[in-house]
Amino acid sequence: MCLGIPGIVTKVGVNDAEFAEVEVSSIRRTVHLGMVADSSVEVGDWLLIHVGFAIAKLDEDEAIRTVDFQAQSGKDYQQEIDAFASLIGGEDQI
Amino acid sequence: MKMVDEYRNPEKIRALSEAIRAEVGDRGYRFMEICGGHTHSIYRFGLNELLPENIEMIHGPGCPVCVLPIGKVDEALTLTNDPNVILCAFGDVMRVPGSKISPLEAKARGKDVRMVYSPLDALKLAIDHPDKEVVFFAIGFETTAPSTALTIMRASQLKVENFAVFCNHVTVGPPIRSILESADLDLDGFVGPGHVSAVIGTTPYDFVAEEFGRPLVVSGFEPIDILESILLLVKMVNRGEAAIYNQYVRAVKREGNAAAIAAISEVFEARPSFEWRGLGFIEQSAYRIRKAYAHFDAEARFAMEEISSPEPEDAICGDVLIGAKRPENCPLLGSQCTPEHPIGALMVSSEGACSAYYTYVHRTLVATKG
């Protein structure tokens, strides 16, 4: 459950400045930016996502390598993606 | 895509394996990987097979689902006796057996228990159901604790009255101290956790070198990361050196993540003592919610009482958790306890030593024997 998955930012300033929309494996959802607040987050940036929060910014090479590494682990990555895709009431913005 | 292969390049893996073999002396080395993610990688890539026989990797207590005492699951489930309560938990937590049933089984029996991906989903449920009390069953090390803290801060900011957290967050330093103080294990060094360290940095491990004279290397999760970390540990042991080294520089800074640390200290304070599965009670090893956020503290709001529940009979989860026994020593593994029907928590999470052993070693052994 400590898995962090890389996602690419597709929209910033979602709901308010504390959130951004990211895409992971073709699925989009909003994530909280409270832990990366000390650096600017822009569309196209890669973030390491853990339980709906960006815990770090990643450079592109590291992000692509991590996605590739995790995708090979099969079941665990798929479970994380399924959980990432699960939304409460069809809306995930608070 | 050069970077993709850099950490799994077979030639580099072989070279590292040979470098470790060339470096080891005529003695035994006992290293503990603290993090369940590392345990998973070691089994998945068969890294044990690449190490010389005199290096033993001991699997540590760094899987948050695995160290949660059974009584905590029972405590959370008592909340669901109130039909007005919606209990929310992460997917892994849903499958952890309590003394009688798991949260998932409670759900099957009609209790309102819901799986969430994020604590923010639980907060959203509370906003959508103002007539219900929504409780988030929070577990996890410092990787996850800031997310819960920021969710509580968000709930406070939005004045969500019907949201609370049953806080079981734990910290990684105190169990390492507890293991070092236990004379039985006699460890030579540690592979330190990756994502936890991205939050807390490397300074909280300084005591390992300064007070106990043991080296610790914070490591990434890929085969080359882990082998590099083990090589560094072997070199330090051979030189009689004890230092804290950061192999995972691409994700971990010495000072950690200031915003995450600030969120933790804003919302949480240390509990005087907390029970760990396998390790017993450890002082200052977990967080509770500060009085300023008491409205969001399920323990205070629902007058929850501590439940102490015994371990399942014949299971050796506690001994496996501290590295005193190995998964293959358990009489239940593979027969009564499997990932599909876990008896102990180490079989629930893929980061648990028993699940990793079962998936990557046990099944292969059974298949080979026919």
Side-chain angles (χ1 to χ4, degrees):
Chain A
M1 65 155 279
C2 283
L3 199 61
I5 50 173
I8 190 163
V9 177
T10 49
K11 206 188 282 180
V12 290
V14 178
N15 210 16
D16 61 37
E18 276 193 310
F19 292 84
E21 182 189 76
V22 299
E23 185 175 302
V24 175
S25 191
S26 306
I27 298 154
R28 291 183 180 193
R29 111 171 243 154
T30 50
V31 297
H32 197 288
L33 301 177
M35 278 179 256
V36 289
D38 57 344
S39 51
S40 68
V41 172
E42 288 166 21
V43 171
D45 284 346
W46 282 91
L47 300 172
L48 188 64
I49 314 296
H50 173 64
V51 302
F53 289 76
I55 60 172
K57 272 181 85 168
L58 296 175
D59 69 44
E60 189 171 18
D61 283 340
E62 172 71 6
I64 291 170
R65 203 169 45 69
T66 306
V67 168
D68 177 70
F69 175 68
Q70 291 175 343
Q72 285 183 27
S73 72
K75 196 183 79 172
D76 295 328
Y77 184 66
Q78 195 50 51
Q79 276 177 357
E80 190 70 15
I81 298 295
D82 290 348
F84 181 84
S86 66
L87 304 178
I88 301 294
E91 278 283 328
D92 65 337
Q93 293 176 17
I94 294 172
Chain B
M1 298 290 274
K2 180 173 155 278
M3 282 292 286
V4 171
D5 297 318
E6 194 182 333
Y7 291 85
R8 267 159 282 154
N9 179 321
E11 279 169 31
K12 209 168 167 186
I13 290 175
R14 205 172 309 121
L16 269 169
S17 167
E18 280 163 17
I20 293 170
R21 282 176 195 279
E23 188 68 34
V24 289
D26 188 19
R27 53 160 291 170
Y29 299 80
R30 285 166 61 82
F31 299 133
M32 174 176 275
E33 86 277 3
I34 297 155
C35 171
H38 289 142
T39 303
H40 186 92
S41 278
I42 286 169
Y43 277 115
R44 183 179 150 208
F45 295 103
L47 300 185
N48 267 334
E49 313 289 316
L50 298 173
L51 297 175
E53 277 185 6
N54 54 339
I55 296 184
E56 188 182 359
M57 296 306 294
I58 318 279
H59 315 310
C63 156
V65 172
C66 308
V67 296
L68 186 71
I70 296 171
K72 293 293 169 193
V73 178
D74 292 343
E75 284 176 45
L77 290 178
T78 57
L79 293 170
T80 65
N81 292 331
D82 180 346
N84 205 39
V85 167
I86 301 174
L87 180 70
C88 300
F90 291 136
D92 275 354
V93 180
M94 294 289 284
R95 299 174 57 234
V96 180
S99 60
K100 293 190 179 71
I101 55 172
S102 67
L104 197 61
E105 286 161 333
K107 182 183 173 69
R109 292 181 190 187
K111 304 289 189 187
D112 201 344
V113 185
R114 306 194 193 185
M115 189 189 100
V116 292
Y117 163 68
S118 167
L120 286 170
D121 293 345
L123 179 57
K124 177 73 167 54
L125 261 179
I127 293 168
D128 290 348
H129 297 84
D131 53 325
K132 294 280 190 179
E133 294 287 344
V134 175
V135 180
F136 175 59
F137 184 5
I139 74 157
F141 283 89
E142 290 96 330
T143 326
T144 317
S147 305
T148 304
L150 287 164
T151 302
I152 290 174
M153 287 160 73
R154 186 81 178 164
S156 174
Q157 183 192 344
L158 297 176
K159 298 188 169 48
V160 183
E161 295 287 323
N162 60 325
F163 175 73
V165 170
F166 177 34
C167 181
N168 292 279
H169 285 297
V170 289
T171 60
V172 79
I176 297 177
R177 177 180 288 279
S178 170
I179 284 166
L180 280 166
E181 283 169 351
S182 138
D184 309 345
L185 284 173
D186 197 21
L187 296 169
D188 295 301
F190 293 88
V191 174
H195 289 148
V196 163
S197 307
V199 169
I200 63 174
T202 61
T203 47
Y205 307 117
D206 287 348
F207 76 92
V208 175
E210 288 167 6
E211 292 179 42
F212 294 92
R214 301 289 198 281
L216 180 148
V217 179
V218 168
S219 174
F221 296 92
E222 304 237 14
I224 284 176
D225 290 323
I226 296 174
L227 291 175
E228 266 181 15
S229 300
I230 292 170
L231 178 60
L232 281 164
L233 285 172
V234 171
K235 283 183 174 176
M236 283 198 271
V237 169
N238 288 351
R239 289 198 296 255
E241 208 179 291
I244 309 303
Y245 190 87
N246 180 13
Q247 184 276 340
Y248 197 26
V249 282
R250 58 193 195 276
V252 175
K253 294 182 202 150
R254 174 148 178 84
E255 69 278 14
N257 180 325
I261 294 168
I264 288 177
S265 20
E266 165 69 19
V267 176
F268 300 129
E269 61 188 10
R271 283 180 194 270
S273 181
F274 190 75
E275 187 183 5
W276 291 61
R277 205 168 182 176
L279 293 168
F281 285 89
I282 304 177
E283 286 178 13
Q284 311 273 316
S285 65
Y287 295 121
R288 66 181 177 199
I289 296 168
R290 285 186 188 278
K291 286 219 163 55
Y293 292 93
H295 180 77
F296 303 102
D297 185 354
E299 286 169 82
R301 280 260 296 278
F302 299 94
M304 295 176 72
E305 283 177 19
E306 282 204 25
I307 299 174
S308 182
S309 304
E311 289 289 317
E313 221 171 297
D314 298 331
I316 56 166
C317 310
D319 287 338
V320 176
L321 255 176
I322 57 166
K325 285 189 180 163
R326 308 188 71 84
E328 57 267 39
N329 302 135
C330 183
L332 306 184
L333 188 133
S335 53
Q336 293 170 60
C337 188
T338 63
E340 290 73 30
H341 299 285
I343 288 175
L346 283 97
M347 192 58 96
V348 170
S349 166
S350 64
E351 292 161 15
C354 294
S355 168
Y357 175 82
Y358 180 86
T359 306
Y360 297 110
V361 182
H362 181 80
R363 281 206 297 224
T364 314
L365 287 177
V366 170
T368 315
K369 284 179 192 162

